[in-house]
Amino acid sequence: MTGAKRKKKGVLWSKIHTPHCEDFKQWCRRRLPILEWAPRYNLKENLLPDTVSGIMLAVQQVTQGLAFAILSSVHPVFGLYGSLFPAIIYAIFGMGRHVATGTFALTSLISANAVERLVPLSSQNFTTQSNTSTLGLSDFELRRIGVAAAVSFLGGVIQVAMFVLQLGSATFLLTEPVISAMTTGAATHVVTSQVKYLLGMKMPYISGPLGFFYTYAYVFGNIKSVRLEALLLSLLSIVVLILVKELNQQFKRKIKVVLPVDLVLIIAASFACYCTNMEITYGLEVVGHIPKGIPSPRAPPMNVLSAVITEAFGVALVGYVASLALAQGSAKKYKYSVDDNQEFLAHGLSNVIPSFFFCIPSAAAMGRTAGLYSTGAKTQVACLISCILVLIVIYAVGPLLYWLPMCVLASIIVVGLKGMLIQFRDLKKYWKVDKIDWGIWVSTYVFTICFAANVGLLFGVVCTIAIVIGRFPRAKTLSIKNMKEMELRVKIETDGETLQQVKIISINNPLVFLNAKKFHTDLMNIIQKDNASNQLLDDVSKCEQNTLLNSLSNGNCNEEASQPCPNEKCFLILDCSGVTFFDYSGVSMLVEVYNNCRSRSVDVSLAHCAASLIKAMKYCGNPDSEKPVSFDSVSAALSNIYSNKNLSKLSDHSEV
């Protein structure tokens, strides 16, 4: 009896512990994405493009690190540290293969508010240079980086807390117009912050509400203090950068390696400044001394955390939103998936851990991501290679950057923001697709300009929710036909018997940002389930499911659908009679669904499609210009399918 009990207990014990071990392995793979892609890394195919991309990325990391550190009101060397440690952490925990984490203009601008408020420039008179302190920097510089590191630490803690609370699922509230307007407005703020360097002016730090306008008022009020040498050098640098980068983009298919114009410009400007002694002769401001090495880690000052809560929330939200948009864009372009919650963890740790190494707040930047695209990067190995080169700069090359003119560095930053600034072109698209989205973009941009990026982001989200709540009660909830998912199976006779399947799905709700992802997920689940089936159906069947594509439902599609032959040609008809209104996110998702279905050999037709929806789809990307995809009715769509396939006989009759 005792032996039987022991045996039973051993079986139960194994049943309890075996799944736990497997669950732990799966959890590690899910939370440490590097364990997924690193063992499968293809050295032959990926190492060369990743190496080239890593070299080009290192140039961007160094230049942006120096500039964004100054933008954050700390010593330039701390920007180099911010280009090193966050990139390593994200390579381990992040899922974006083309996301280069490091110093970021928007987060630097936000942290500068805390630095200037808590350690103003006037307090520099009360500190002295100390050769025995960290890196030989003054106590004033160390106090400033302490505040910036505290903002990074607390912002990272907030992001990790959002990961624990699984708030990544709430990112559907961040619509494309809101993100576009916020990043464009923030980029405008960054350009404004670089005006004093571009013009060679000495001006006080200006922040707060309407600080954007006060800055330009000060510039025009002191226009006589502009240094002509700095202005000419800035204009020359901007023209060279734009011209060479456009040529690189134009001939990127013909040349294997693009010209690193940023690096060439830095070397040329530093050499010219050294030879002509521009700092003394013309009074040009230069980067100055860059100390060698990395100091020992030190915890951020915890006594200032309560004073930087506002900036920390701004860093956490703005940095995450901008980075997630780049990660999702990369995933969409290269056909892989990104977990929104995992990105919270990756960026949170990329802020928390580096804050112990004197790093300013970090996030992904559009310029670096675009650089990885253009140079053909394959994986995060490119970012790790760039970290090795940044480390070489920190220990060997850094002091040579002493003579780099600040106006040249500012020119590099302004040109690097081109990708954000040209988002003004989206206004035409939003106007033609949905004028309400156009209004949200403009109002979010104005709020960002007048106040700050985090205020503009919050306003955009609240405005979007309010508009959708106001539109939904007026939406048409009933259609003439209460149609749910149905299947029509048609047996035709050609050289042999093949089975043709037509799926008809009714969309009974508006397509907006609230239900766009749910619509995509439900539809893809149906198609994936059908493609995975291996059953052959000989008789014609009719199937009805109980799950509708509802806008605010959180459930998944009912999977009790009949299965087609894996080799058969499938057709999908979307009845859009219930789409009473839509926004840009909904239309974009509908076009994406069309393209995804085509890639899975599923022909898609739209029925009862409003003229405004057809027009909007053309502006978002015309699905197919060769043959019609929109029909007046489901019957017309069916007739088109049958006539194109020369169907001779219907096996059974299904009601539509």
Side-chain angles (χ1 to χ4, degrees):
M1 187 69 178
T2 306
K5 285 184 178 181
R6 286 179 180 175
K7 185 176 181 181
K8 185 176 181 181
K9 185 177 180 181
V11 171
L12 290 174
W13 185 260
S14 63
K15 286 184 178 179
I16 291 174
H17 281 267
T18 302
H20 278 251
C21 182
E22 291 298 323
D23 290 344
F24 178 73
K25 290 180 180 179
Q26 292 179 2
W27 184 88
C28 287
R29 292 193 189 99
R30 191 167 64 250
R31 298 307 170 205
L32 296 170
I34 193 173
L35 298 179
E36 283 287 334
W37 60 263
R40 300 196 300 266
Y41 187 77
N42 191 322
L43 288 174
K44 284 187 177 181
E45 294 183 3
N46 299 337
L47 185 58
L48 181 59
D50 280 343
T51 302
V52 174
S53 298
I55 295 172
M56 302 300 296
L57 177 61
V59 175
Q60 288 182 301
Q61 290 278 36
V62 170
T63 55
Q64 292 181 359
L66 295 173
F68 293 157
I70 295 172
L71 181 61
S72 192
S73 298
V74 299
H75 194 278
V77 72
F78 299 120
L80 297 179
Y81 304 154
S83 299
L84 173 65
F85 294 104
I88 297 174
I89 302 301
Y90 185 84
I92 297 173
F93 293 94
M95 299 186 70
R97 300 174 191 172
H98 298 80
V99 174
T101 303
T103 55
F104 185 42
L106 310 189
T107 54
S108 297
L109 199 62
I110 294 172
S111 66
N113 294 332
V115 172
E116 294 288 347
R117 188 180 75 250
L118 298 178
V119 191
L121 196 61
S122 58
S123 65
Q124 188 176 11
N125 299 329
F126 302 99
T127 59
T128 57
Q129 186 78 16
S130 174
N131 292 327
T132 59
S133 65
T134 304
L135 298 175
L137 298 174
S138 66
D139 293 336
F140 172 76
E141 294 290 356
L142 294 179
R143 286 170 56 203
R144 285 201 149 195
I145 186 57
V147 174
V151 174
S152 177
F153 174 80
L154 187 56
V157 169
I158 292 172
Q159 288 174 327
V160 173
M162 290 179 174
F163 160 75
V164 173
L165 296 175
Q166 298 291 292
L167 295 182
S169 57
T171 55
F172 69 91
L173 295 172
L174 305 171
T175 62
E176 184 176 331
V178 172
I179 296 174
S180 174
M182 184 273 293
T183 53
T184 306
T188 309
H189 273 298
V190 175
V191 172
T192 302
S193 69
Q194 298 299 304
V195 167
K196 62 180 180 180
Y197 299 117
L198 295 172
L199 302 179
M201 295 178 63
K202 297 288 185 181
M203 59 183 297
Y205 181 80
I206 300 175
S207 63
L210 304 180
F212 173 84
F213 303 101
Y214 292 140
T215 299
Y216 285 103
Y218 182 92
V219 169
F220 288 111
N222 297 270
I223 197 70
K224 293 182 179 180
S225 62
V226 173
R227 291 189 179 274
L228 186 60
E229 298 84 2
L231 177 59
L232 292 176
L233 187 56
S234 299
L235 291 175
L236 179 62
S237 300
I238 291 174
V239 169
V240 170
L241 286 169
I242 293 177
L243 182 61
V244 176
K245 289 190 175 184
E246 287 296 326
L247 290 175
N248 282 338
Q249 186 70 20
Q250 196 75 19
F251 299 101
K252 64 180 181 180
R253 294 183 178 179
K254 297 181 180 180
I255 55 177
K256 294 183 178 180
V257 180
V258 297
L259 177 65
V261 61
D262 294 354
L263 178 62
V264 173
L265 183 61
I266 288 174
I267 296 174
S270 301
F271 183 74
C273 184
Y274 171 77
C275 293
T276 58
N277 200 13
M278 291 184 184
E279 183 184 13
I280 304 300
T281 306
Y282 302 109
L284 289 183
E285 187 176 356
V286 297
V287 170
H289 174 63
I290 304 292
K292 290 183 180 181
I294 299 176
S296 302
R298 180 189 299 179
M302 300 298 170
N303 59 323
V304 301
L305 292 183
S306 59
V308 299
I309 291 179
T310 303
E311 288 80 10
F313 267 102
V315 164
L317 295 177
V318 174
Y320 173 76
V321 168
S323 302
L324 181 64
L326 294 174
Q328 290 177 337
S330 170
K332 183 177 179 180
K333 184 173 183 177
Y334 292 97
K335 308 297 182 184
Y336 63 91
S337 61
V338 170
D339 184 355
D340 297 348
N341 281 310
Q342 180 64 23
E343 291 298 292
F344 261 132
L345 177 64
H347 289 290
L349 295 178
S350 296
N351 277 312
V352 171
I353 298 175
S355 67
F356 289 83
F357 293 90
F358 302 91
C359 292
I360 60 178
S362 65
M366 182 180 292
R368 295 194 294 265
T369 301
L372 291 176
Y373 287 162
S374 62
T375 53
K378 301 297 183 182
T379 65
Q380 278 289 328
V381 170
C383 296
L384 295 177
I385 291 174
S386 74
C387 291
I388 297 174
L389 299 177
V390 172
L391 199 61
I392 294 174
V393 171
I394 292 174
Y395 276 95
V397 185
L400 300 178
L401 298 173
Y402 178 96
W403 299 100
L404 176 61
M406 287 299 302
C407 59
V408 174
L409 197 57
S411 302
I412 294 174
I413 297 308
V414 170
V415 175
L417 293 171
K418 175 189 171 186
M420 291 185 180
L421 294 174
I422 62 175
Q423 291 179 132
F424 278 109
R425 297 185 301 187
D426 294 343
L427 282 172
K428 180 180 179 182
K429 174 177 62 178
Y430 295 133
W431 177 264
K432 293 183 177 180
V433 174
D434 184 16
K435 291 179 176 58
I436 292 180
D437 276 346
W438 182 90
I440 291 174
W441 196 103
V442 173
S443 58
T444 301
Y445 177 81
V446 171
F447 264 75
T448 303
I449 288 296
C450 294
F451 300 99
N454 50 345
V455 177
L457 179 65
L458 181 61
F459 170 81
V461 171
V462 172
C463 187
T464 303
I465 294 174
I467 288 174
V468 171
I469 290 175
R471 292 172 79 180
F472 255 102
R474 299 194 301 270
K476 181 181 176 183
T477 56
L478 295 176
S479 58
I480 297 175
K481 297 183 294 292
N482 185 19
M483 186 172 4
K484 303 176 182 179
E485 185 192 359
M486 295 183 296
E487 291 179 357
L488 290 173
R489 287 192 176 8
V490 182
K491 184 182 289 185
I492 64 168
E493 295 179 0
T494 53
D495 295 336
E497 282 194 350
T498 59
L499 194 63
Q500 304 289 341
Q501 175 180 309
V502 178
K503 270 187 175 294
I504 304 174
I505 298 177
S506 177
I507 309 173
N508 288 331
N509 293 99
L511 273 178
V512 292
F513 72 97
L514 287 172
N515 66 335
K517 287 187 178 179
K518 177 68 166 55
F519 166 71
H520 179 273
T521 301
D522 287 353
L523 200 56
M524 289 300 105
N525 283 343
I526 295 173
I527 295 171
Q528 286 175 357
K529 180 176 179 293
D530 287 347
N531 287 343
S533 172
N534 57 4
Q535 296 180 0
L536 294 176
L537 301 177
D538 295 324
D539 298 326
V540 178
S541 64
K542 176 181 176 181
C543 174
E544 180 174 293
Q545 290 184 346
N546 294 323
T547 301
L548 292 175
L549 298 176
N550 291 325
S551 60
L552 300 176
S553 173
N554 293 323
N556 294 325
C557 274
N558 191 348
E559 297 184 357
E560 297 177 358
S562 301
Q563 308 296 326
C565 174
N567 296 322
E568 68 184 14
K569 181 69 174 178
C570 297
F571 300 89
L572 175 64
I573 299 176
L574 293 178
D575 181 5
C576 302
S577 58
V579 184
T580 52
F581 66 85
F582 50 86
D583 63 6
Y584 182 82
S585 300
V587 178
S588 298
M589 191 60 71
L590 187 59
V591 174
E592 183 178 343
V593 162
Y594 179 89
N595 294 330
N596 287 345
C597 288
R598 291 298 300 271
S599 66
R600 300 172 187 273
S601 298
V602 179
D603 283 345
V604 182
S605 300
L606 304 179
H608 298 115
C609 201
S612 57
L613 180 59
I614 299 172
K615 183 178 179 181
M617 290 179 68
K618 290 181 180 179
Y619 287 115
C620 290
N622 190 8
D624 198 337
S625 58
E626 297 180 358
K627 61 181 182 179
V629 296
S630 177
F631 300 90
D632 295 334
S633 64
V634 175
S635 301
L638 285 171
S639 300
N640 180 71
I641 292 172
Y642 297 160
S643 61
N644 288 341
K645 292 298 180 180
N646 297 319
L647 297 178
S648 60
K649 183 176 67 174
L650 286 175
S651 298
D652 288 287
H653 180 267
S654 296
E655 290 184 1
V656 178

